[in-house]
Amino acid sequence: MPAGTLYRGREGMWSWVAHRVTGVLIFFFLFVHVLDTALVRVSPEAYDKVVATYKTPIVALLEYGLVAAILFHALNGLRVIAVDFWSKGPRYQKQMFWTVMGVWIVLMAGAIYPVLGHAARVLFGS
């Protein structure tokens, strides 16, 4: 495969950028998660305060963003694997990109209530 085949066109460039950005965001989340979990050994009271902040509507929006990042990163990763290992992958990368985006949108729409339902009830009542 010639150099640059994987990321030809506007879709390829944006998928490359989004894949890197979501990877960094997921890494940052995992780093913070390890730190806040380790806090329970240092100060259980501080840990309880941190966990209490996770039940706020703003954090629910951040969780929805985390779900978005993980889903996109996973689906786009499968697309990258298909482009790399399927002989016809480079030829169909644009169609695969739009398929990834369609599946991502459908899954994100399905994640709205499970992830943001509690926050909506807190903000707007039952």
Side-chain angles (χ1 to χ4, degrees):
M1 170 169 35
T5 301
L6 180 58
Y7 300 111
R8 280 202 186 136
R10 189 174 37 219
E11 297 87 1
M13 179 190 67
W14 285 112
S15 69
W16 184 88
V17 170
H19 198 75
R20 271 49 179 190
V21 169
T22 56
V24 169
L25 291 173
I26 293 164
F27 174 79
F28 178 72
F29 163 77
L30 290 173
F31 181 72
V32 170
H33 181 61
V34 168
L35 287 179
D36 73 6
T37 303
L39 189 59
V40 76
R41 308 259 307 166
V42 177
S43 172
E45 297 81 20
Y47 174 79
D48 290 339
K49 287 180 185 178
V50 169
V51 170
T53 64
Y54 292 164
K55 297 175 184 173
T56 64
I58 291 173
V59 174
L61 285 173
L62 293 173
E63 287 176 344
Y64 189 70
L66 176 64
V67 170
I70 291 170
L71 275 176
F72 178 81
H73 195 80
L75 293 170
N76 192 56
L78 293 174
R79 183 190 70 82
V80 170
I81 290 169
V83 170
D84 284 347
F85 292 106
W86 180 35
S87 63
K88 295 181 182 177
R91 185 177 316 146
Y92 295 108
Q93 67 174 328
K94 189 172 186 175
Q95 294 87 338
M96 287 190 288
F97 170 78
W98 289 111
T99 301
V100 162
M101 293 306 295
V103 170
W104 181 76
I105 288 168
V106 168
L107 291 174
M108 288 308 298
I112 289 174
Y113 181 76
V115 177
L116 297 177
H118 175 72
R121 287 188 296 279
V122 167
L123 290 172
F124 306 113
S126 298

